[in-house]
Amino acid sequence: MMFPVKMFPIRTCTTVGQYFTLVRSFTVGATRLAKKAEQLEAEELAGAAAEDLPVTFVDDDAESSEAREARITAIRNKSRLLPQHRNMLHDVLPYDQSQSWIHETVKYKRMMLGRYGIDGSKVDPRVCFPTKKEAFEKSEYERVAYPFTLKQMMDENEANRKARKAAIESREADIARKFEKLDQWTADLNARIEKKEAEARAAKERKDRLVEEVRRHFGFKVDPRDERFQEMLAQKEREDRKKVKEAKRKEKEEKMMEKLQKKTAQLEADIEVTSEKSKK
């Protein structure tokens, strides 16, 4: 099949060179169109031949039963899963042969053996048992990490449990004793607080009394910030401290005398008892 080539009118060229150039360009274009037409004819013939053939043609006599089953299985597989994923879905070993270095590790083989069994995993069950080197290293690790026997660890655990129990009981007893003294401690605390408050009130009253005495000394109102007032107040405070100190000394002497009298009376009573026993 040839496509007609439309010839355009050629204008008169002024020179021979231009004429030959125009003729060469038309010749190249016609050659390309001819090759394209031949290619289209070949494609049309191939399509017509393919339409005449049946969709599938299988010689059942020449095909073996295993190949036929494999072909039917491949046709029946509509899941579009990868072969390894489809095997995992049907609980079958994913790969018939190793695809990576991981598939050659002991850990992977043990996992496949545990999941698919001896027949399904195609793994030697001896990989599940440690080698002599692994057994020796494990025993050495246990010897260093756990140096005590089971009986020793149980005894130590029992001793620690008893010690914790004794500590808890001691703590509870101490808390109970402190609870018994709680009322007394509360009373003592309140007494100390009252004593501090009484001392603070007495100090304030003493301060007010001294200030009043200083004012009476001058006989007229004086500013407490005045130097004469401050000097007289300091003098009154010194005198008052001497009086308080003297009173405390006398109170202490009276207490000492009372204690001596009690001891003397006790000694006299003991001497009388001893003399009566010696007379008898």
Side-chain angles (χ1 to χ4, degrees), residues 2-273:
M2 298 294 291
F3 290 100
V5 180
K6 185 177 180 180
M7 302 300 293
F8 297 97
I10 302 174
R11 294 188 307 174
T12 307
C13 299
T14 57
T15 60
V16 178
Q18 291 179 352
Y19 173 77
F20 280 110
T21 302
L22 188 60
V23 171
R24 186 166 56 252
S25 62
F26 277 112
T27 305
V28 171
T31 305
R32 291 178 179 175
L33 289 175
K35 290 182 178 180
K36 184 66 175 177
E38 291 178 358
Q39 183 178 1
L40 290 175
E41 287 181 0
E43 290 178 356
E44 289 179 358
L45 292 174
E51 290 177 357
D52 294 338
L53 293 175
V55 178
T56 57
F57 179 77
V58 179
D59 187 0
D60 293 337
D61 296 335
E63 187 180 22
S64 63
S65 60
E66 295 180 356
R68 184 172 179 275
E69 290 294 331
R71 181 174 59 81
I72 293 173
T73 302
I75 295 172
R76 195 174 1 183
N77 182 14
K78 303 297 182 181
S79 64
R80 296 185 180 180
L81 293 174
L82 295 176
Q84 60 269 27
H85 296 162
R86 191 167 184 275
N87 291 340
M88 294 173 66
L89 180 65
H90 291 281
D91 199 17
V92 181
L93 189 66
Y95 302 100
D96 293 334
Q97 295 180 354
S98 298
Q99 304 294 325
S100 173
W101 64 268
I102 298 176
H103 298 164
E104 297 295 332
T105 59
V106 176
K107 182 178 180 180
Y108 180 82
K109 290 181 179 180
R110 289 176 178 175
M111 183 175 66
M112 293 296 103
L113 180 64
R115 181 173 297 176
Y116 301 109
I118 297 175
D119 297 332
S121 63
K122 302 176 183 179
V123 176
D124 189 355
R126 288 178 294 181
V127 298
C128 296
F129 298 94
T131 61
K132 292 183 179 180
K133 182 179 179 181
E134 292 174 349
F136 176 75
E137 290 177 352
K138 186 176 181 180
S139 63
E140 283 295 310
Y141 172 79
E142 292 180 352
R143 185 180 64 81
V144 175
Y146 309 104
F148 303 106
T149 62
L150 181 60
K151 183 67 169 60
Q152 291 174 340
M153 289 190 290
M154 291 174 65
D155 294 341
E156 184 180 359
N157 187 22
E158 183 67 18
N160 293 336
R161 187 183 65 80
K162 290 181 179 179
R164 289 194 299 269
K165 184 178 179 182
I168 292 171
E169 291 176 353
S170 176
R171 175 68 174 168
E172 291 176 350
D174 185 35
I175 292 172
R177 287 194 301 270
K178 290 181 179 179
F179 264 115
E180 292 176 358
K181 298 179 180 179
L182 181 61
D183 296 336
Q184 181 63 34
W185 288 346
T186 305
D188 295 341
L189 178 62
N190 293 331
R192 287 197 296 272
I193 293 172
E194 291 177 0
K195 183 179 178 181
K196 291 289 185 182
E197 292 176 352
E199 290 176 354
R201 286 194 300 269
K204 186 177 183 303
E205 292 174 359
R206 185 171 64 255
K207 183 76 171 180
D208 295 340
R209 179 174 55 79
L210 292 175
V211 171
E212 188 64 27
E213 288 180 0
V214 172
R215 286 177 179 174
R216 284 200 304 269
H217 174 77
F218 287 105
F220 56 88
K221 291 184 178 180
V222 183
D223 189 359
R225 293 172 294 182
D226 190 84
E227 292 183 0
R228 294 176 299 169
F229 186 88
Q230 294 291 334
E231 290 177 359
M232 184 58 66
L233 181 62
Q235 183 180 352
K236 290 290 184 181
E237 287 179 350
R238 287 194 296 271
E239 293 175 357
D240 188 69
R241 282 197 295 271
K242 288 180 180 179
K243 291 178 181 179
V244 172
K245 187 176 181 180
E246 186 67 22
K248 288 183 178 180
R249 185 180 63 79
K250 289 182 179 181
E251 183 180 0
K252 187 176 181 181
E253 288 178 355
E254 290 176 359
K255 288 182 179 180
M256 290 293 293
M257 290 298 295
E258 186 178 355
K259 287 182 180 181
L260 288 173
Q261 289 174 0
K262 287 182 179 180
K263 288 183 178 181
T264 304
Q266 184 67 29
L267 288 172
E268 291 177 354
D270 293 341
I271 291 170
E272 289 177 359
V273 172

